[in-house]
Amino acid sequence: MLHYLLGSFAFLCLLASLIPFIPIAHGAVRVFDFGRLQILTISVVTLVCVVLLLPQSQYCFVLSGMLAVSVCIELLHIIRFTPFWRQQSARFQPEKHDSAQTFKMLVCNVKQSNKRHDKLIDIIDDCDPDILVLMETDQVWLDALEEVTDRYVYRLSCPQDNSYGMFMASRLEVTKGEIEFLLNESIPSFHCRFKLENGDEFDLIAIHPDPPVPHRDTIGRDAEILVAGKRARYRKRPLVVAGDLNDVAWSSTTRRFLRISRLLDPRQGRGMFNSFDARFPFLRWPLDHIFHSEEFELVAIRRQPYMGSDHFPMFYELAYVSEHNNELPDDPSVYDLKEARSLIQTETNRDRRPIGEDWEK
C-alpha cells in the first residue's frame, strides 16, 4: 500500500512540474506555476520517504528519478528568488551617491470586501510612504481612508465595485496622472509621472489584471502585463511598474515581461516575499510586484503585517541614482516579441467581462 501511495505522489509531483511547460495561455495550465514552492516541498518529503521506507528495487529507483526531476525543475524556477542567487537590483549605498533621491512606496490589494480599514491605516502611518498605491478600492474604502489620504496633496482615484478599483496618493509632485483602460473597459490602470525634489522625473504604471482560473484562458492577464512591458521598453524616463499582477515572479509571462521591458526585479537574490494568500501560510506565493528601470537601486523591501486582506501590503524604498550597479535582464527573443504581439492583438479584438468581478459582492 505504501509503495502505491508514494508512487502516486511521485507521479503527481512530476506532472505538476511539467504542465506549466505547455505553451497554452489557459488557467488549467498556468495555475501550476503558482505552487512551485509547495510542489518542491512535497517532492523532497516524498523523495526522503521513498529512500528511507522502500526497499531498493527498480521501482524505487524510478520513483526517485521522477522526484529528482521534479525537485530540479522547481529549484530552477525559484532559486533565483533566494539569497543563493545574484542580486539583480543593486543595494543602494548612500556613501557612493551623494545626490541620490530616495522615495518610499506602499502597494496593497486591500480586498474590496475587507472591513479592517483601521489595520491598513496603522500600516500607512507606520510606513509613511511617499507614494501609496491601492487596488480593489471601492467608495467604501476611499471614505474609510479619507483621514489618512487627505495628508497627500496629489491623488488619483478610480473607485469601482467590481474588485478592480484603484487609488493612488502621493506627496511627490505629480506632473501627469492618467487612468487608462488598456485592454478591458472594466479594468483600469494608472499612468503617472512624479517629480523629485531635484527636478528629476520618473514614471509609474500601476496595473491589476484579472486572475487565472482553471476554467478560463489567461490571455487577458498575460496581454495586460505585456502591454506594460512594451510601454516600458520604449520609455522616455525612468520607470516603475507596480501592482497585483495575479502572476508569480518565476512564470513564463513575468520572465517574458522582464526581457521585453528591460526592468529589474528587486526580489531576485533576496527572497520571494510571498504576498498571497495572507490567510493560509502553506498556500503563499509572490503575486504583488514592483519592477524598476536601471536608474534605481534598492534601499529596502519589506512585507507588511496582515490587515484583513488576502494580500499582504508590500513596502519598497528606491533610490534614484546617476550611476548604478544593477544587472540588466536578458534581451527578448524574437519569439518573446511575437508572442506578446499575438496575445495583445487577441485580447484587443475580443469583448469580455473581467474574471471575478462579482467575487467581492
Side-chain angles (χ1 to χ4, degrees):
M1 181 66 179
L2 179 62
H3 64 286
Y4 287 124
L5 180 63
L6 294 177
S8 299
F9 273 107
F11 174 75
L12 291 174
C13 286
L14 181 60
L15 182 64
S17 299
L18 293 174
I19 285 177
F21 289 106
I22 301 174
I24 299 176
H26 197 281
V29 173
R30 295 289 160 244
V31 292
F32 289 95
D33 261 327
F34 288 68
R36 290 197 180 275
L37 179 60
Q38 289 77 12
I39 296 169
L40 173 64
T41 302
I42 296 171
S43 297
V44 170
V45 172
T46 306
L47 179 58
V48 171
C49 291
V50 168
V51 172
L52 295 181
L53 301 180
L54 294 185
Q56 289 192 2
S57 63
Q58 185 175 5
Y59 180 72
C60 178
F61 292 144
V62 170
L63 294 191
S64 298
M66 294 169 62
L67 290 164
V69 171
S70 177
V71 168
C72 289
I73 291 174
E74 304 305 344
L75 276 177
L76 286 172
H77 281 83
I78 68 176
I79 194 170
R80 69 176 60 239
F81 302 98
T82 71
F84 299 105
W85 199 263
R86 61 190 179 276
Q87 294 180 357
Q88 190 172 54
S89 301
R91 173 69 65 181
F92 173 64
Q93 300 179 25
E95 64 274 11
K96 294 184 178 181
H97 305 281
D98 294 335
S99 60
Q101 301 280 302
T102 65
F103 61 92
K104 297 177 290 185
M105 292 184 61
L106 184 66
V107 180
C108 180
N109 181 325
V110 302
K111 188 172 178 61
Q112 183 178 301
S113 60
N114 175 23
K115 305 302 181 184
R116 304 294 297 274
H117 310 120
D118 57 322
K119 294 293 186 181
L120 180 58
I121 291 174
D122 290 342
I123 293 172
I124 294 173
D125 288 338
D126 182 58
C127 293
D128 190 29
D130 299 300
I131 301 172
L132 175 66
V133 178
L134 304 178
M135 289 142 286
E136 290 200 23
T137 49
D138 57 6
Q139 192 59 51
V140 173
W141 263 100
L142 297 188
D143 293 342
L145 297 177
E146 187 174 4
E147 180 178 350
V148 68
T149 57
D150 276 350
R151 305 171 195 168
Y152 293 86
V153 177
Y154 303 94
R155 294 183 292 273
L156 187 63
S157 179
C158 184
Q160 297 188 169
D161 61 2
N162 65 348
S163 77
Y164 289 97
M166 294 185 74
F167 176 79
M168 186 280 299
S170 172
R171 63 167 55 102
L172 299 179
E173 180 181 350
V174 177
T175 58
K176 186 189 83 168
E178 296 178 352
I179 302 171
E180 295 189 32
F181 295 82
L182 295 175
L183 297 172
N184 190 300
E185 62 182 11
S186 298
I187 302 178
S189 60
F190 283 4
H191 303 260
C192 305
R193 185 169 305 145
F194 302 91
K195 180 181 286 188
L196 296 167
E197 290 181 1
N198 64 359
D200 289 329
E201 292 186 324
F202 69 93
D203 290 341
L204 167 72
I205 298 176
I207 60 174
H208 180 206
D210 41 11
V213 290
H215 59 283
R216 294 273 296 274
D217 66 68
T218 62
I219 293 174
R221 182 202 67 175
D222 299 346
E224 183 163 347
I225 292 172
L226 293 171
V227 167
K230 291 187 71 174
R231 292 199 177 192
R233 182 174 180 81
Y234 301 107
R235 63 186 174 85
K236 296 181 180 179
R237 280 162 296 277
L239 176 68
V240 173
V241 174
D244 169 12
L245 272 62
N246 277 310
D247 195 19
V248 284
W250 47 74
S251 76
S252 58
T253 299
T254 298
R255 306 315 300 171
R256 179 176 292 126
F257 161 84
L258 290 176
R259 291 191 295 269
I260 291 175
S261 67
R262 306 289 287 160
L263 299 181
L264 312 177
D265 188 340
R267 292 164 299 189
Q268 186 167 296
R270 292 187 171 88
M272 298 179 192
F273 298 93
N274 295 327
S275 59
F276 178 95
D277 190 312
R279 302 162 298 182
F280 308 109
F282 186 69
L283 296 176
R284 288 182 182 168
W285 32 74
L287 281 195
D288 299 87
H289 309 265
I290 188 170
F291 306 107
H292 63 84
S293 58
E294 61 200 71
E295 292 87 356
F296 300 101
E297 290 184 349
L298 182 69
V299 180
I301 175 172
R302 293 192 298 271
R303 192 178 74 181
Q304 298 302 299
Y306 177 70
M307 43 71 67
S309 172
D310 48 358
H311 292 251
F312 290 105
M314 290 297 300
F315 171 85
Y316 313 93
E317 186 172 2
L318 298 175
Y320 188 120
V321 298
S322 55
E323 296 182 3
H324 67 85
N325 293 310
N326 294 314
E327 179 177 310
L328 296 178
D330 296 331
D331 290 321
S333 65
V334 173
Y335 177 75
D336 286 330
L337 299 173
K338 180 180 179 182
E339 184 71 5
R341 285 195 299 268
S342 175
L343 289 168
I344 293 170
Q345 183 176 12
T346 298
E347 182 64 12
T348 301
N349 292 335
R350 66 178 185 171
D351 182 22
R352 66 175 184 88
R353 303 301 307 171
I355 294 172
E357 62 178 350
D358 59 347
W359 288 354
E360 295 296 310
K361 294 182 179 179

